[in-house]
Amino acid sequence: MAAPSQARKAVYDAIVIGAGIQGSFTAYHLAQRHRNTLLLEQFILPHSRGSSHGQSRIIRSVYPQEHYSRMMPDCFRLWQRLEAEAGARLYRQTGLVVLGPAGDPELEGCRRSLGDGPVLDAAALARHFPGFRLQAGEVALLDSTAGVLFADRALRAVQEVFRRHGGTVRDGEKVLRIEPGAMVTVTTMGGVYQAPRLIITAGAWTGPLVESLGLRLPLQPLRIDVCYWREKELKNTNKGRVSPCFLTRGLSQAPHGIYGLPALEYPGMVKVCQHHGSPTDPEKRDQAPPGADRPDIGLLSSFISSYLPGLETEPAVMETCLYTNTPDGDFILDRHPKFSNIIIGAGFSGHGFKLAPMVGKLLCELSLGEEPSHNMAPFAITRFPAVLQAVL
């Protein structure tokens, strides 16, 4: 670390704090608009401390919430543009099935997002995808556009294109202080930087950063078990098509939702996880005591036994990830209510990766005072009135 007298000092058009997928896409869009942009990251890149690491994420068109389903066509186009710019394959189309009780409101919302597509009963689902088993009274939807994003590769790609457009990445520089003003001053362990606009996309560390700016957001970091389950009969995924991704809606056996991805990361192992976890301090998320009670694993084992009979019912590999949830599961994409040149992107609640190209564009547009490309009302801080009472 540089001594204070030797610390870097520089002025930029924009500073982005947090080089996960959301912050990296925000910086990318700013650089595309020829803004001299600094992307700050507290850990040495690449790292596995936040929410953007790992080999795979689901991308899908289907969403029960209309504000997300309307954004997805733009997201697909922006992902394709990044693939072309980076010269790298970032997506594999696998399709996705949504499992749930017939008539469930969320499942019906998903069906509307697909243009009221066909509903598959147990027999039809078994013909298309023999690995799935539905229970009585349950149905499935098929999103043929869906697939797998190669997450680590995508994060590297967007950062490389950002650098190619003149952007600056400084990793290993934890933010120590933010001083609001017409020129925001950000002091890190390695330098002092100024810009007329600041965007905070610090994942699970966003809460403490904005609290120093008088804003207490209802953000809850969660420690998620990421589990891989061995196929009973090893399939060759290098030839032909792989199994689809899946997610659940409204199943009593999966109250928080369960999702899965085909065996692309570890040969012969399917990724199946619950969309929920345990509250955690992001600084201590890897300090779970050995042998700690993990009820999520029992729930997943029971689900696999009922719905995915081709998998073993004990996880073969277990990893961890962080979600940062809002109370309603919707993102926060808004200006600080007191300092309008400080923009906040937070609370991606375990479903933000696929939407990152558009989230980055929206945060960029907010920071530049441009008309947002989509309706921002679902993402406003004002939906949490107690937060405003605390800051104003």
Side-chain angles (χ1 to χ4, degrees), residues 71-80 354-358:
M71 291 165 66
M72 283 313 303
D74 289 335
C75 290
F76 274 100
R77 283 192 290 271
L78 288 168
W79 279 115
Q80 289 165 1
K354 71 185 78 62
L355 288 141
M358 182 49 62

Side-chain angles (χ1 to χ4, degrees), residues 203-266:
W205 288 266
T206 298
L209 273 179
V210 300
E211 195 165 334
S212 70
L213 300 169
L215 187 58
R216 184 167 292 181
L217 295 176
L219 298 172
Q220 177 61 71
L222 298 177
R223 182 184 188 274
I224 306 297
D225 289 321
V226 180
C227 302
Y228 298 83
W229 310 75
R230 198 179 304 279
E231 295 173 330
K232 291 177 180 176
E233 294 183 14
L234 189 62
K235 300 170 186 174
N236 187 349
T237 58
N238 294 321
K239 296 179 181 179
R241 87 181 167 174
V242 298
S243 299
C245 303
F246 76 87
L247 56 87
T248 69
R249 285 289 181 265
L251 293 181
S252 59
Q253 199 169 343
H256 298 287
I258 290 173
Y259 65 92
L261 294 88
L264 294 175
E265 299 182 36
Y266 298 105

